[in-house]
Amino acid sequence: MAMDGAPRRLPRFVPRSWAASMEAESREWMVRCDACGYERSVWDLGGIRWKAAGTSKQYRRCPSCGQRSWHTIYRR
């Protein structure tokens, strides 16, 4: 999952239909803090998750509660 603003630069490198599909699907994938329940989409984090399956976990700092905890990535 890219976190460096790649979604903003993406349209220059792929066909428009792919970029639209990537954005739509990335907005369906959510990242939820297991400590406080705060959620946001992968796209809102600056990432892309396209043609993926299953759930995963990442250990990161939550912008809401400030704790480092596991975050579940799942499709809404």
Side-chain angles (χ1 to χ4, degrees):
M1 194 166 45
M3 298 296 192
D4 63 354
R8 294 354 169 230
R9 295 190 305 267
L10 185 66
R12 291 185 280 175
F13 302 107
V14 299
R16 263 186 275 224
S17 61
W18 288 12
S21 176
M22 285 179 188
E23 179 178 353
E25 194 165 322
S26 294
R27 288 184 184 278
E28 292 175 8
W29 285 95
M30 303 300 290
V31 179
R32 181 182 61 232
C33 175
D34 292 349
C36 73
Y38 178 72
E39 291 185 327
R40 65 255 185 235
S41 74
V42 168
W43 185 264
D44 291 339
L45 282 170
I48 297 171
R49 189 158 171 103
W50 188 46
K51 298 195 181 272
T55 60
S56 64
K57 292 204 176 247
Q58 289 185 350
Y59 194 73
R60 55 183 7 196
R61 184 173 307 281
C62 176
S64 179
C65 67
Q67 293 184 45
R68 289 194 57 81
S69 63
W70 287 103
H71 287 65
T72 303
I73 301 169
Y74 68 96
R75 191 165 188 176
R76 182 171 28 160

